Amino acid sequence: MHEFAVASDAHAQLIPITPEVQAAVAALGVTDGAVLVHVPHTTAAVTVNEGADPDVAADLLRRFDALVPWRDPADSHDEGNSAAHFKSSLVGCSSVLPVVGGKLALGTWQAVFFCEFDGPRRRRVQVFAVRDKAG
Ligand code: ZN
């Protein structure tokens, strides 16, 4: 497993991490197969989406907020951040990404994003090599 840190500097933020994940692929020695990108947090997530136009990430955050308002009087969780927990489950704390020839096999416009839903915080991202029985 290869781990790196991400420091968010806003309450909600999509942070591109494709270069860090690619570096992890190289460090793990994965040439053909897949890696599991895992965020070991309950108010953060990982996703793949367009990296070319930063407006896409901004629109995603705005729509997440529209879908999941920060305040809901019915929430019971004392910490007051149930919206962030909900978004984490909605987006997911891990993604499996294909690797071909030692490179992440992403589409032209795809990038890997760390999703912060209750920052700013210092976070961790873990990358695991996915191997079959023969590997
Ligand atoms: Zn909480």
Side-chain angles (χ1 to χ4, degrees), residues 123-135:
R123 304 290 205 168
R124 294 181 294 142
V125 178
Q126 300 170 336
V127 183
F128 297 81
V130 177
R131 303 184 199 282
D132 64 21
K133 288 178 184 169

Side-chain angles (χ1 to χ4, degrees), residues 19-67:
E20 290 86 347
V21 175
Q22 180 58 60
V25 169
L28 291 166
V30 179
T31 52
D32 292 282
V35 289
L36 172 74
V37 182
H38 178 65
V39 171
H41 304 287
T42 62
T43 56
V46 63
T47 194
V48 174
N49 214 301
E50 177 169 334
D53 179 1
D55 285 347
V56 173
D59 285 348
L60 284 172
L61 285 173
R62 182 179 49 78
R63 285 171 175 261
F64 285 142
D65 283 340
L67 198 63

Side-chain angles (χ1 to χ4, degrees), residues 51-110:
D53 179 1
D55 285 347
V56 173
D59 285 348
L60 284 172
L61 285 173
R62 182 179 49 78
R63 285 171 175 261
F64 285 142
D65 283 340
L67 198 63
V68 189
W70 185 253
R71 295 286 172 215
D72 182 335
D75 283 341
S76 302
H77 180 45
D78 281 345
E79 202 184 5
N81 63 350
S82 286
H85 289 289
F86 187 83
K87 290 176 192 169
S88 174
S89 281
L90 198 65
V91 177
C93 65
S94 64
S95 288
V96 176
L97 304 177
V99 176
V100 177
K103 301 289 182 194
L104 287 169
L106 296 172
T108 304
W109 307 111
Q110 287 183 316

